[in-house]
Amino acid sequence: MDDLREKYVSLIAAAADETTLEDLRVQAVGKKGEISLQMRSLGKMSAEERQLAGPKLNALKDEINSALAAKKTALGDAALDERLRGEWLDVTLPARQRAMGSIHPISQVTEEVTAILADLGFSVAEGPQIESDWYNFDALNIPGHHPARAEMDTFYTHRAEGDERPPHVLRTHTSPVQIRHMEAHGAPCRIICPGRVYRADYDQTHTPMFNQVEGLAIDKDISMANLKWTLEEFFTAFFGTNVKTRFRASHFPFTEPSAEVDIQCQWKDGSVVVGEGDDWLEVLGSGMVHPKVLQAGGIDPAEWQGFAFGMGIDRMAMLKYGIPDLRAFFDSDLRWLRHYGFASLDQPNLAAGL
Ligand code: PHE
């Protein structure tokens, strides 16, 4: 028995893993294990011999079993320690840097303009950038021979040879959305339409693609006074300061009367400051919607009237954020975008001030 004890105690102590340990258990105390066989031989002994050997064998069996159990726990603990050491993670490490984009000033200003006018009850309407001749011109009271067509430097699409229909155009302004909206929704209405427009023109203040926002309000008793209030309210919110406006009589085929609107500004060291001084800067065209335009949109001019305006978004962005050259807006120069771009979480919000 002492030999058996010594043998298994040292084998168990040396076992390196749970499989070896399990093999040892079977060898020692399994059904046909050495100790079990010894216990079976108790039956052949005399009563005195059995009284002596029985308790000793039982004690040996208990000792081996507890040595096995203790070793099993030790092996399990060691394995866990090993895993914890291997799978250790420093969750306090700073995250890897990721390149972050920025919001383009045009997108930001579009959001700002939308937020202010939405607060005044205008909802956003949209229309296609490739427009039919009818929506871009005729429906807006610009017939084929009208000089405004020539002045607009329009981009025309190609028609297949032999197709005599007038070509589609890249919309030269956002005004066609007025017609589309009137057709689809009738009166009364209050909408704005921000979007891209196109004219064949290129210098420091003109690019072949630029952005406008159209405004249209139609009801039974809308007047120029509502237009003026709306625009002054808008400029004050947009520039965050009281801005005087100047309405100059003008002419657009689609409004009557028409006015170009200037805002008060001052030139300081080669850049403009809005809301002070006694210079004026033209920022938009506007007027009372022409009866023919209402008719083209399916609205009875004897019953309804309204105002419309069209404003350059790019121009507004240049003024508010001191951006000197319009062309840079569309160059996609990363250095420019990082400098003038906005953080994606910097969302325009009336409550916080724009
Ligand atoms: N559509 C005109 C333009 O692009 C602007 C405008 C819109 C004027 C609405 C009057 C009314 O110049």
Side-chain angles (χ1 to χ4, degrees), residues 4 16 25 37 51 68 84 111 113 121 144 152-153 178 184 209 212 217 248 271 329 338-339:
L4 273 180
R25 189 191 65 78
L37 290 178
Q51 252 184 357
L68 282 166
L84 287 176
E111 290 296 322
V113 169
M152 286 251 196
D153 302 308
Q178 290 187 29
M209 183 208 78
Q212 285 191 334
R248 271 182 299 106
S271 56
F329 275 119
R338 284 192 193 113
H339 181 79

mmCIF file of all heavy atoms in Angstrom, residues 4 16 25 37 51 68 84 111 113 121 144 152-153 178 184 209 212 217 248 271 329 338-339:
data_model
loop_
_atom_site.group_PDB
_atom_site.id
_atom_site.type_symbol
_atom_site.label_atom_id
_atom_site.label_comp_id
_atom_site.label_asym_id
_atom_site.label_seq_id
_atom_site.Cartn_x
_atom_site.Cartn_y
_atom_site.Cartn_z
ATOM 1 N N LEU A 4 1.992 1.820 -3.494
ATOM 2 C CA LEU A 4 0.921 2.400 -4.316
ATOM 3 C C LEU A 4 0.761 3.891 -4.017
ATOM 4 O O LEU A 4 0.645 4.721 -4.912
ATOM 5 C CB LEU A 4 -0.404 1.691 -4.032
ATOM 6 C CG LEU A 4 -0.688 0.421 -4.845
ATOM 7 C CD1 LEU A 4 -2.036 -0.166 -4.442
ATOM 8 C CD2 LEU A 4 -0.662 0.717 -6.337
ATOM 9 N N ALA A 16 0.757 16.989 -16.076
ATOM 10 C CA ALA A 16 0.864 18.330 -16.650
ATOM 11 C C ALA A 16 -0.463 18.836 -17.196
ATOM 12 O O ALA A 16 -0.623 20.017 -17.446
ATOM 13 C CB ALA A 16 1.913 18.345 -17.751
ATOM 14 N N ARG A 25 -6.457 8.682 -12.854
ATOM 15 C CA ARG A 25 -7.626 8.337 -12.035
ATOM 16 C C ARG A 25 -8.126 6.937 -12.405
ATOM 17 O O ARG A 25 -8.357 6.093 -11.534
ATOM 18 C CB ARG A 25 -8.741 9.362 -12.245
ATOM 19 C CG ARG A 25 -9.905 9.208 -11.259
ATOM 20 C CD ARG A 25 -11.089 10.043 -11.632
ATOM 21 N NE ARG A 25 -11.689 9.623 -12.909
ATOM 22 C CZ ARG A 25 -12.472 8.567 -13.055
ATOM 23 N NH1 ARG A 25 -12.759 7.788 -12.017
ATOM 24 N NH2 ARG A 25 -12.959 8.257 -14.246
ATOM 25 N N LEU A 37 -8.812 -2.941 -7.410
ATOM 26 C CA LEU A 37 -8.562 -4.396 -7.410
ATOM 27 C C LEU A 37 -8.172 -4.874 -6.022
ATOM 28 O O LEU A 37 -8.645 -5.899 -5.537
ATOM 29 C CB LEU A 37 -7.477 -4.757 -8.429
ATOM 30 C CG LEU A 37 -7.905 -4.600 -9.904
ATOM 31 C CD1 LEU A 37 -6.744 -4.930 -10.852
ATOM 32 C CD2 LEU A 37 -9.129 -5.458 -10.219
ATOM 33 N N GLN A 51 -10.085 -6.507 8.779
ATOM 34 C CA GLN A 51 -10.244 -5.395 9.725
ATOM 35 C C GLN A 51 -9.045 -4.455 9.723
ATOM 36 O O GLN A 51 -9.171 -3.259 9.926
ATOM 37 C CB GLN A 51 -10.445 -5.937 11.145
ATOM 38 C CG GLN A 51 -11.869 -5.730 11.562
ATOM 39 C CD GLN A 51 -12.138 -6.155 12.985
ATOM 40 O OE1 GLN A 51 -11.246 -6.678 13.680
ATOM 41 N NE2 GLN A 51 -13.366 -5.945 13.412
ATOM 42 N N LEU A 68 -6.242 13.820 -6.504
ATOM 43 C CA LEU A 68 -6.717 14.044 -7.881
ATOM 44 C C LEU A 68 -7.532 15.337 -7.969
ATOM 45 O O LEU A 68 -7.327 16.170 -8.856
ATOM 46 C CB LEU A 68 -7.580 12.863 -8.343
ATOM 47 C CG LEU A 68 -6.834 11.593 -8.776
ATOM 48 C CD1 LEU A 68 -7.809 10.398 -8.863
ATOM 49 C CD2 LEU A 68 -6.115 11.791 -10.099
ATOM 50 N N LEU A 84 -5.943 34.492 -19.029
ATOM 51 C CA LEU A 84 -6.082 35.912 -18.654
ATOM 52 C C LEU A 84 -4.851 36.706 -19.065
ATOM 53 O O LEU A 84 -4.955 37.833 -19.526
ATOM 54 C CB LEU A 84 -6.312 36.041 -17.144
ATOM 55 C CG LEU A 84 -7.694 35.605 -16.667
ATOM 56 C CD1 LEU A 84 -7.781 35.672 -15.146
ATOM 57 C CD2 LEU A 84 -8.767 36.492 -17.294
ATOM 58 N N GLU A 111 -28.261 74.246 -44.736
ATOM 59 C CA GLU A 111 -28.943 73.815 -43.506
ATOM 60 C C GLU A 111 -29.376 75.021 -42.663
ATOM 61 O O GLU A 111 -30.459 75.023 -42.083
ATOM 62 C CB GLU A 111 -28.035 72.918 -42.666
ATOM 63 C CG GLU A 111 -27.780 71.539 -43.266
ATOM 64 C CD GLU A 111 -29.048 70.708 -43.361
ATOM 65 O OE1 GLU A 111 -29.881 70.792 -42.436
ATOM 66 O OE2 GLU A 111 -29.226 69.995 -44.364
ATOM 67 N N VAL A 113 -30.014 78.134 -43.705
ATOM 68 C CA VAL A 113 -31.119 78.822 -44.383
ATOM 69 C C VAL A 113 -32.421 78.037 -44.179
ATOM 70 O O VAL A 113 -33.479 78.609 -43.871
ATOM 71 C CB VAL A 113 -30.795 78.956 -45.899
ATOM 72 C CG1 VAL A 113 -32.012 79.417 -46.670
ATOM 73 C CG2 VAL A 113 -29.622 79.907 -46.109
ATOM 74 N N GLY A 121 -42.183 78.717 -41.115
ATOM 75 C CA GLY A 121 -43.314 77.983 -41.679
ATOM 76 C C GLY A 121 -43.135 77.505 -43.114
ATOM 77 O O GLY A 121 -44.081 77.029 -43.734
ATOM 78 N N GLY A 144 -40.081 82.137 -75.964
ATOM 79 C CA GLY A 144 -38.894 81.816 -76.769
ATOM 80 C C GLY A 144 -38.077 83.014 -77.208
ATOM 81 O O GLY A 144 -36.846 82.959 -77.227
ATOM 82 N N MET A 152 -29.385 84.267 -69.916
ATOM 83 C CA MET A 152 -29.152 83.257 -68.884
ATOM 84 C C MET A 152 -27.975 82.331 -69.170
ATOM 85 O O MET A 152 -27.639 81.503 -68.329
ATOM 86 C CB MET A 152 -30.418 82.419 -68.685
ATOM 87 C CG MET A 152 -31.502 83.184 -67.939
ATOM 88 S SD MET A 152 -31.717 82.547 -66.295
ATOM 89 C CE MET A 152 -33.291 83.226 -65.822
ATOM 90 N N ASP A 153 -27.346 82.419 -70.342
ATOM 91 C CA ASP A 153 -26.208 81.544 -70.661
ATOM 92 C C ASP A 153 -26.521 80.071 -70.383
ATOM 93 O O ASP A 153 -25.812 79.403 -69.632
ATOM 94 C CB ASP A 153 -24.970 81.952 -69.859
ATOM 95 C CG ASP A 153 -24.586 83.397 -70.119
ATOM 96 O OD1 ASP A 153 -24.460 83.752 -71.292
ATOM 97 O OD2 ASP A 153 -24.441 84.155 -69.137
ATOM 98 N N GLN A 178 -41.147 76.367 -58.445
ATOM 99 C CA GLN A 178 -42.413 77.065 -58.136
ATOM 100 C C GLN A 178 -43.562 76.408 -58.897
ATOM 101 O O GLN A 178 -44.601 76.085 -58.318
ATOM 102 C CB GLN A 178 -42.350 78.530 -58.583
ATOM 103 C CG GLN A 178 -41.442 79.436 -57.791
ATOM 104 C CD GLN A 178 -41.623 80.890 -58.253
ATOM 105 O OE1 GLN A 178 -42.691 81.281 -58.712
ATOM 106 N NE2 GLN A 178 -40.578 81.691 -58.115
ATOM 107 N N ALA A 184 -48.535 70.462 -58.311
ATOM 108 C CA ALA A 184 -48.746 69.270 -57.488
ATOM 109 C C ALA A 184 -49.582 69.551 -56.245
ATOM 110 O O ALA A 184 -50.316 68.675 -55.788
ATOM 111 C CB ALA A 184 -47.388 68.666 -57.097
ATOM 112 N N MET A 209 -21.693 76.042 -62.161
ATOM 113 C CA MET A 209 -22.715 75.489 -61.276
ATOM 114 C C MET A 209 -22.688 76.301 -59.996
ATOM 115 O O MET A 209 -21.608 76.617 -59.500
ATOM 116 C CB MET A 209 -22.428 74.024 -60.957
ATOM 117 C CG MET A 209 -23.500 73.404 -60.096
ATOM 118 S SD MET A 209 -22.843 72.080 -59.090
ATOM 119 C CE MET A 209 -22.036 73.000 -57.799
ATOM 120 N N GLN A 212 -28.795 78.036 -55.375
ATOM 121 C CA GLN A 212 -29.797 79.058 -55.042
ATOM 122 C C GLN A 212 -30.766 78.482 -54.020
ATOM 123 O O GLN A 212 -30.865 77.279 -53.848
ATOM 124 C CB GLN A 212 -30.617 79.420 -56.288
ATOM 125 C CG GLN A 212 -29.912 80.288 -57.294
ATOM 126 C CD GLN A 212 -30.869 80.819 -58.360
ATOM 127 O OE1 GLN A 212 -31.898 80.199 -58.648
ATOM 128 N NE2 GLN A 212 -30.524 81.945 -58.946
ATOM 129 N N ALA A 217 -44.471 81.964 -51.418
ATOM 130 C CA ALA A 217 -45.572 81.964 -50.451
ATOM 131 C C ALA A 217 -46.829 82.438 -51.181
ATOM 132 O O ALA A 217 -46.821 83.517 -51.782
ATOM 133 C CB ALA A 217 -45.257 82.883 -49.279
ATOM 134 N N ARG A 248 -34.858 97.552 -54.434
ATOM 135 C CA ARG A 248 -34.735 98.378 -55.638
ATOM 136 C C ARG A 248 -35.681 97.837 -56.697
ATOM 137 O O ARG A 248 -35.685 96.632 -56.965
ATOM 138 C CB ARG A 248 -33.312 98.318 -56.178
ATOM 139 C CG ARG A 248 -32.379 99.363 -55.610
ATOM 140 C CD ARG A 248 -31.000 99.259 -56.228
ATOM 141 N NE ARG A 248 -30.366 97.971 -55.963
ATOM 142 C CZ ARG A 248 -30.225 97.013 -56.864
ATOM 143 N NH1 ARG A 248 -30.642 97.181 -58.109
ATOM 144 N NH2 ARG A 248 -29.646 95.882 -56.545
ATOM 145 N N SER A 271 -12.399 93.270 -47.301
ATOM 146 C CA SER A 271 -13.480 92.287 -47.166
ATOM 147 C C SER A 271 -14.759 92.968 -46.662
ATOM 148 O O SER A 271 -14.704 94.036 -46.061
ATOM 149 C CB SER A 271 -13.072 91.133 -46.243
ATOM 150 O OG SER A 271 -12.673 91.647 -45.009
ATOM 151 N N PHE A 329 -14.974 77.039 -53.846
ATOM 152 C CA PHE A 329 -16.041 76.158 -53.342
ATOM 153 C C PHE A 329 -16.050 74.812 -54.053
ATOM 154 O O PHE A 329 -16.425 73.797 -53.489
ATOM 155 C CB PHE A 329 -17.413 76.799 -53.594
ATOM 156 C CG PHE A 329 -17.837 77.775 -52.529
ATOM 157 C CD1 PHE A 329 -18.071 79.105 -52.836
ATOM 158 C CD2 PHE A 329 -18.022 77.351 -51.226
ATOM 159 C CE1 PHE A 329 -18.483 80.001 -51.862
ATOM 160 C CE2 PHE A 329 -18.438 78.240 -50.243
ATOM 161 C CZ PHE A 329 -18.658 79.571 -50.561
ATOM 162 N N ARG A 338 -10.636 71.694 -45.174
ATOM 163 C CA ARG A 338 -10.359 71.598 -43.734
ATOM 164 C C ARG A 338 -10.488 72.960 -43.078
ATOM 165 O O ARG A 338 -10.970 73.073 -41.957
ATOM 166 C CB ARG A 338 -8.948 71.037 -43.507
ATOM 167 C CG ARG A 338 -8.917 69.549 -43.743
ATOM 168 C CD ARG A 338 -7.637 68.904 -43.244
ATOM 169 N NE ARG A 338 -7.587 67.557 -43.802
ATOM 170 C CZ ARG A 338 -6.693 67.156 -44.699
ATOM 171 N NH1 ARG A 338 -5.736 67.968 -45.107
ATOM 172 N NH2 ARG A 338 -6.747 65.935 -45.167
ATOM 173 N N HIS A 339 -10.067 73.997 -43.803
ATOM 174 C CA HIS A 339 -10.096 75.337 -43.217
ATOM 175 C C HIS A 339 -11.526 75.870 -43.098
ATOM 176 O O HIS A 339 -11.924 76.370 -42.057
ATOM 177 C CB HIS A 339 -9.253 76.292 -44.054
ATOM 178 C CG HIS A 339 -9.218 77.682 -43.506
ATOM 179 N ND1 HIS A 339 -8.413 78.022 -42.443
ATOM 180 C CD2 HIS A 339 -9.907 78.795 -43.841
ATOM 181 C CE1 HIS A 339 -8.603 79.304 -42.155
ATOM 182 N NE2 HIS A 339 -9.508 79.793 -42.991
#
